[in-house]
Amino acid sequence: MRPRTLDEFVGQLHLLGTGKPLRDAIEQGRVLSMIFWGPPGTGKTTLARLVAQYTDRYFAPFSAVTEGVPRVREIVAEAEGRLQREGRGTILFVDEIHRFNRAQQDAFLPHVEAGTITLIGATTENPSFALTGALLSRTRVFVLEPLSAEDLNGLLRRALADPERGLGTRALRATDEALAFLAEHADGDARRALTALEAAADAVGDGGEIDRAAAQDALQRRVAHYDNAGEEHFNMLSAYHKSLRGSDPNGALYWMARMIEGGEDPLVMFRRAIAMASEDVGLADPEALKLAIAAREAYRMLGPPEGYLALSQMTIYLATAPKSNRSYMALEAALDAARETPAEPVPLHIRNAPTKLMKELGYHEGYQYAHAVPEAYIPQEYLPERLRGQTFYEPGSFGFEREIAKRLAWWAELKARTTAPPSSPGDAERSPEEAP
């Protein structure tokens, strides 16, 4: 059922719709080297073949999985001879081009620049990470999207009716529900949809009817789209983290489950969640970090599947916790100050003085022991002189940070009273019991 013309090609209208630059270039025969990036079953190989067909170039398929640079040299030599004898160009189609290492990818460069071949690479990996900058600068990247359920439904109906390349000679019938199920559960993959349809046809036999049960048996279990070593790994971790930060437990649970189903190590999610507990919840809920660490230890003790309960509990708690990034901002501000003032001396009164010489030099002199007063607070300076009065941490207005704000305000009030001129006899100070 591979499309034989651009009009038969299903989906990718953003690239191949009427008037789109790629379609115009193909129909006018002026294509240059390019990379097709998209998930499986979206037409990368088919589109490369159509490019060769429409531009009257020889199509030389090559797999980066099973072949190597020596085969590339053979194809290039054949392309040079073909160009000299026939004046006909060659399209070198490299499937899974991301499997080539940097040196192997560079082997294409001189031949692309010389015009000996037109390179079309297909990849399911993000070219920004999988391909070299030199190769990317000499090619144009086109992104293919998963096919819609509507596109796949039409493709399945076409396969049922086509007597030449499809199943049209087998007198099969299929319910609308069965076709809709296959189209929806193929997850945008035309190859998977057609394979399942063929399996269902074999199961019911010629003249049979494919119902939902037959379609479900043919498709078997849906496999989660996930690559725990590639871009999708980081995309889903990012989605999980942002759902937690955005206080959406449903989104966080979904991406958590997607990663579990995709085979991700849950400890990766625990690491991200523990970081999030400090970065995005912080002191708005000091229990968040404790719970995240406890949940990780619970998972290590229990293992799957019982350990997933701890992961789920932690996910819900973090998503619904009050949020504050003030600890994170305080860290950044303090680091900036430390970089800008890397040589500021420690004030003498808070230096350690373990020797007689240090004491004679004034180390520790004037230091006031906080616990010498009932409030356990004596105003004194702890920052270097150059940084006096600078504030790195300002509590937020949610959760436990409201209590921290009260404490800071009380200390500031106590400091103001302690350093202010003597007050009238009628002024009364609050006792330590009145402190926040």
Side-chain angles (χ1 to χ4, degrees), residues 36 46 87 124 149 154 159 166 171 191 194 219 229-230 257 282 306 315 361 386 436:
F36 294 149
T46 293
T124 56
R191 187 183 297 110
L194 290 171
L219 197 60
E306 291 87 351
T315 295
L361 293 173
R386 184 176 168 186

Side-chain angles (χ1 to χ4, degrees), residues 157-305:
R157 293 180 185 278
R158 185 192 302 174
L160 281 172
D162 191 317
E164 180 185 351
R165 297 180 299 143
L167 304 171
T169 60
R170 300 183 61 177
L172 294 161
R173 303 179 309 281
T175 67
D176 291 342
E177 185 183 14
L179 294 178
F181 177 85
L182 289 176
E184 179 65 31
H185 289 70
D187 295 323
D189 185 334
R191 187 183 297 110
R192 188 177 186 206
L194 290 171
T195 299
L197 179 67
E198 187 172 18
D202 290 341
V204 302
D206 291 356
E209 180 179 81
I210 301 172
D211 57 14
R212 181 190 170 101
Q216 194 164 354
D217 288 342
L219 197 60
Q220 295 299 316
R221 183 174 182 269
R222 295 173 81 180
V223 178
H225 282 193
Y226 190 66
D227 177 4
N228 59 15
E231 183 199 8
E232 203 64 9
H233 162 82
F234 298 103
N235 285 344
M236 288 199 189
L237 268 180
S238 176
Y240 177 61
H241 189 152
K242 289 180 172 64
S243 298
L244 293 175
R245 178 187 291 152
S247 300
D248 184 349
N250 299 308
L253 285 168
Y254 173 75
W255 295 116
M256 177 202 78
R258 279 285 300 275
M259 286 187 279
I260 289 175
E261 287 295 297
E264 180 60 88
D265 181 357
L267 290 176
V268 172
M269 286 179 269
F270 279 113
R271 281 195 292 273
R272 178 60 68 96
I274 289 171
M276 179 270 171
S278 291
E279 178 184 347
D280 298 299
V281 177
L283 290 172
D285 185 351
E287 295 298 315
L289 182 57
K290 298 183 210 175
L291 186 138
I293 293 173
R296 180 192 62 185
E297 295 311 304
Y299 175 82
R300 284 176 170 168
M301 179 181 292
L302 295 171

